């Protein structure tokens, strides 16, 4: 999980499900669980992983746009835009590896 997530480029995001597909095992929840405990941040940019429906997803075990303002702020600083309700504004920033 960490090796794949480390490859997500600045200004791009991937999904928990895409991480599972890329590494060939696990579930989106297991990916989220591993990233919640990420001891390698910011080298492993866990903030660049969003939900499969392109919602902001979780951050440090919290879930939802109102609880993930730090994640949204970090991604916005990288040029990733979100709607006011926490969804990606454009799918052009999705990276699948």
């Amino acid at each position: 999980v960490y090796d794949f997530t480390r490859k997500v480029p600045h200004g791009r995001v991937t999904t928990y499900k895409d991480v599972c597909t890329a590494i060939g095992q696990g579930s989106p929840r297991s990916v989220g669980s591993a990233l919640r405990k990420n001891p390698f941040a910011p080298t492993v940019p866990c903030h660049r992983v969003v939900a499969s429906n392109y919602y902001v997803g979780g951050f440090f075990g919290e879930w939802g746009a109102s609880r993930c303002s730090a994640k949204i702020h970090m991604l916005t600083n990288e040029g990733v835009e979100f709607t006011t309700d926490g969804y990606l504004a454009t799918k052009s920033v999705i990276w699948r590896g």
Side-chain angles (χ1 to χ4, degrees):
V1 169
Y2 298 141
D3 288 339
F4 182 81
T5 304
R6 186 181 47 165
K7 297 174 187 174
V8 180
H10 181 91
R12 305 288 297 275
V13 297
T14 192
T15 69
Y16 298 99
K17 182 179 178 180
D18 287 336
V19 175
C20 294
T21 301
I23 66 174
Q25 62 183 359
S27 69
R29 286 184 186 217
S30 65
V31 169
S33 185
L35 293 176
R36 178 181 47 211
K37 300 171 187 170
N38 177 10
F40 307 110
T43 303
V44 174
C46 53
H47 67 283
R48 295 183 187 148
V49 183
V50 300
S52 296
N53 64 355
Y54 309 119
Y55 187 64
V56 66
F59 195 56
F60 289 113
E62 297 292 327
W63 192 263
S66 64
R67 302 212 178 220
C68 295
S69 60
K71 180 175 182 175
I72 291 174
H73 179 74
M74 293 166 75
L75 288 168
T76 300
N77 284 342
E78 294 183 12
V80 178
E81 297 179 9
F82 288 87
T83 63
T84 56
D85 54 352
Y87 289 88
L88 286 179
T90 177
K91 293 178 186 163
S92 66
V93 296
I94 297 293
W95 180 83
R96 292 198 164 85

